[in-house]
Amino acid sequence: MSYKLFVPFLCTLIGMATLSELAAQNQKAKIKTAYFPPAQSWQHQTPQSVGLNGTKLSEAISFAIANETQAPRSMEANHYRTFGKEPFGDGIGPFADRGAPTGIIVYKGYIIAEWGEPLRVDMTHSVTKSFLSTVVGLAVDQRLIRSVQDTVAPYVPPIEVYNPQQSISRPAEDIGQPELIRPFATPHNQTITWDNLLRQTSDWEGTLWGKPEWADRPSANTSEWQTRPRHKPGTVYEYNDVRVNALSLAALSVWRKPLPQVLKTYIMDPIGASNTWRWNGYRNAWIVLDGQAVQSVSGGGHWGGGMFINAYDMARFGLLTLHKGNWNGKQLISTQWVSQALTPTTPEPTYGYMNWFLNTDKKYLPSAPVSAFAHIGNGTNMIYVDPEHELVVVARWIDNKALDGMVKRVLEAFPETK
């Protein structure tokens, strides 16, 4: 490269480095001045005291309450109105009746508004997936997983399913049949990477915990349920809870301990979460691990189970992701992982890692900034995270079609110069 070309090139690189350094310094400055609620305590501020329009926030809350989901409050009854109609749709995990519309608005770390029953422990459905992907991220940070681009198969040994009802001796007709499950043994599944599973682009094939992957949100064309060719991993997005649960089982194999224990130790305790949340799996999702019966937890409430949690603990998790994995100066999960989670999935640009929904081109939440994202679960349960406004909003049991209207009204409480 000639001197005349090299100098501008070098200046560009220096400029890029400077911008990157400025962004990092800005993030550190925000963390240094931000409020992080200690365990068992959370300071409140009035909207007016932090420069926001209280009347507008009241309107947003009234809108959320008025747009309560029309689904029944019995989660089990709702299951059989929806997913329970699918093939193999029987519930196999716990359900719980939900509460009233509930929410919390957090600005710069302070609670500025809340409604409903924020202490109530309810199912949060697929927001669970964000906790699951975080546990996988912790495994990457600790080098238990070398790279998300690694194929999963070498990390997962043959697994013995725990079945206390099973006869000790095997009947003659079972001799020679597999005794252990190998969820990543097929030629297709051997090509699946951790990144593919995290982005729901794996097209994993098989049956897990009695649920075949084709039975989850099945195609209208019944003839292809068990016969269609597999898509190359990474090329086609399909939201599928059987595959999510395959990721959970793989993560359990890597950690060699129950995933709720991992989450509690590395995330929930450090952020001051309560002791009331529970991460449930299916009643048949138990394996033998190091001589112990261990449950492989589910990634959501599809067929029951998933994370049962109150709104305050959801908001704390949202605040952690707002600060890119940093809690009061301590990096609980790497900024690199958060950056990857916020990178659009190529076949579905509004999805990063499960269950980080992105606002790419403002398609998901038109009233929100492009930089905003949300952890979303059925119900609808939403943790809205808005770095531009230093804002976290938890909204539970709101109609899915009202999410943008809710966010729009919250943002109207900010000064126009914000």
Side-chain angles (χ1 to χ4, degrees), residues 37 43 99 101 131 169 212 293 301 319 336 348 354:
Q43 288 189 33
F131 293 104
S169 59
L319 196 59
Q336 175 62 33
E348 178 45 79
M354 65 173 72

Side-chain angles (χ1 to χ4, degrees), residues 25-307:
Q25 290 171 5
N26 184 49
Q27 176 65 18
K28 288 180 180 178
K30 280 186 177 181
I31 290 169
K32 192 173 182 179
T33 59
Y35 168 69
F36 292 86
Q40 302 179 349
S41 176
W42 202 325
Q43 288 189 33
H44 291 62
Q45 299 280 0
T46 65
Q48 293 81 3
S49 69
V50 292
L52 302 185
N53 187 318
T55 301
K56 290 293 185 181
L57 286 183
S58 296
E59 291 174 2
I61 292 170
S62 297
F63 179 83
I65 294 171
N67 283 276
E68 176 181 358
T69 175
Q70 295 303 300
R73 294 200 176 185
S74 167
M75 294 288 93
E76 186 171 22
N78 188 58
H79 171 77
Y80 286 103
R81 293 171 68 250
T82 55
F83 296 132
K85 295 181 178 181
E86 298 172 345
F88 300 92
D90 288 345
I92 53 175
F95 294 95
D97 291 354
R98 68 171 175 86
T102 291
I104 300 173
I105 301 175
V106 177
Y107 176 55
K108 294 188 176 181
Y110 298 97
I111 292 177
I112 58 170
E114 55 187 316
W115 66 97
E117 305 171 272
L119 275 173
R120 181 187 174 98
V121 175
D122 269 343
M123 297 178 74
T124 198
H125 295 279
S126 286
V127 174
T128 309
K129 293 174 174 62
S130 292
F131 293 104
L132 173 58
S133 63
T134 297
V135 168
V136 176
L138 291 168
V140 173
D141 289 346
Q142 297 195 24
R143 301 295 292 168
L144 298 175
I145 299 171
R146 290 179 298 275
S147 168
V148 291
Q149 302 307 326
D150 283 356
T151 53
V152 180
Y155 289 86
V156 183
I159 295 168
E160 180 182 0
V161 175
Y162 176 69
N163 182 3
Q165 314 302 317
Q166 185 174 327
S167 173
I168 295 174
S169 59
R170 285 171 40 99
E173 61 269 21
D174 288 349
I175 300 299
Q177 298 300 314
E179 292 190 70
L180 307 175
I181 64 171
R182 293 172 167 82
F184 294 92
T186 70
H188 173 81
N189 289 352
Q190 287 178 12
T191 67
I192 293 170
T193 67
W194 293 96
D195 191 76
N196 298 149
L197 287 172
L198 288 159
R199 297 189 182 282
Q200 304 237 43
T201 59
S202 70
D203 206 17
W204 182 91
E205 60 184 356
T207 298
L208 188 61
W209 315 132
K211 307 297 183 183
E213 41 77 21
W214 54 262
D216 183 350
R217 303 168 181 85
S219 164
N221 184 358
T222 58
S223 66
E224 69 176 19
W225 283 357
Q226 297 175 276
T227 60
R228 70 165 179 82
R230 292 285 126 182
H231 301 292
K232 181 180 177 182
T235 62
V236 175
Y237 168 88
E238 183 183 339
Y239 198 93
N240 186 291
D241 274 67
V242 179
R243 296 174 187 143
V244 172
N245 295 332
L247 173 62
S248 180
L249 180 58
L252 174 58
S253 295
V254 166
W255 276 105
R256 293 183 85 121
K257 65 178 72 173
L259 298 188
Q261 292 182 12
V262 176
L263 184 71
K264 183 177 189 298
T265 300
Y266 294 102
I267 300 294
M268 302 303 272
D269 284 355
I271 67 175
S274 75
N275 201 31
T276 63
W277 62 271
R278 295 293 184 271
W279 191 354
N280 299 300
Y282 306 134
R283 298 183 184 95
N284 62 339
W286 290 81
I287 68 170
V288 179
L289 182 62
D290 296 332
Q292 301 288 325
V294 177
Q295 190 177 42
S296 182
V297 288
S298 63
H302 202 122
W303 308 295
M307 184 71 80

